Amino acid sequence: MSGPAQCFGPRGVRRGAALTLVFASVLATAAATGSLPRGGSKSPDPATRYVASAVDGDEVADAAARAVADGKSGKEAAEEAVSRSGDRWGAVYDERQYEEFEQALGGSYTGVGISARRSAEGLVEVARVQPGGPADRAGVEPGDLLRTVDGHRIDRRPVAEVVALLRGDRTEASAGTAVVLGVQRGAVLRTETLRRATLTTEPVTVRRIGPKPSDPSEAVLIEVDSFTKGSGDRVRHAVRDAPAGAGVLLDLRGNSGGLVTEAVTAASAFLDGGLVATYDVHGEQRALYAQPGGDTARPLVVLVDGGTMSAAELLTGALQDRGRAVTVGSRTFGKGSVQMPSKLPGGSVAELTVGHYRTPAGRGVDGRGITPDLAVSSGAEQRAETVLSGLGGGS
């Protein structure tokens, strides 16, 4: 949907760094909620966190301060400094944008309720429509093709860029603003004018798969669109509620990340403690551990693709390295860097890269991605179900 799961266009991809608040959440939010995995370092308070981040961002902070003193935009000056730094994931946000990120982490966003993907013909296809959202009310259905957005052809644009257009990321569009879609179903092309709305996501969906959904031995499909607050516990509950002997197909395709603490909680559903990832912040090495008591016997297959990013890659790497799952699909995105937020003069917030994480086996993810055990270019879900059945997990 045009929410946190896939909302990262050219600038929006960098929003993934801010949206995830990747390890800043581990160090601050997790400690505040008591969910910091054992073995992690004690979290500094927010003020200390901002100061620590700003040490490596002196140039950015100084640029913002000089601009504010001259009566200019501190945010624009900081953006120029970040651009010069070569930090691929560095970005600067005003207070409203950052507030939106925090809302997205809580499961709300501004959009039209469409999740998009690349069709077999290379066009942009509607993958899911959020019930009750603007697209649903306009009659948009999964399988429809999106041909234009506000009159511009989008056939060959990256899917993430298309979803960013639907959200209005570039124009900072708010709820109530209009977006005009060219929608094709079969040979019929129609135009729909939708009004963006503030929507609440359901990041985890669960359903039975296989020829006999009523059969208690059937497999369970758990789709995780993003790791927003509470999603890790939803995964754990889904695994606990699954029938005895039923395998799990964990679908992380198009999952562009979220809170790392939630990904670690999701890993705890399948692991009995142990290492999930290591990472560094300004050169200091730290580690993340799963909670004990997870289901280590249930057959598990993980689906991934090029839209699997950040926290979703961390989870995938942990399950793969520890021999807990068979991974199926295509190489993941390769976003394995650590960003931390820093408040700037003028009220804006900078997200700057301070380190990188590695899988339990010590593999770096940034710029490399994770190669699945079984590479599949088309029909990945069907192949994954076949693998799961071969593992004795039903379907």
Side-chain angles (χ1 to χ4, degrees), residues 138-163:
V140 178
E141 297 179 357
D144 289 349
L145 297 177
L146 299 180
R147 306 308 299 268
T148 62
V149 175
D150 288 333
H152 301 290
R153 294 292 295 260
I154 58 167
D155 292 346
R156 301 300 172 183
R157 291 197 183 191
V159 172
E161 183 177 338
V162 172
V163 180

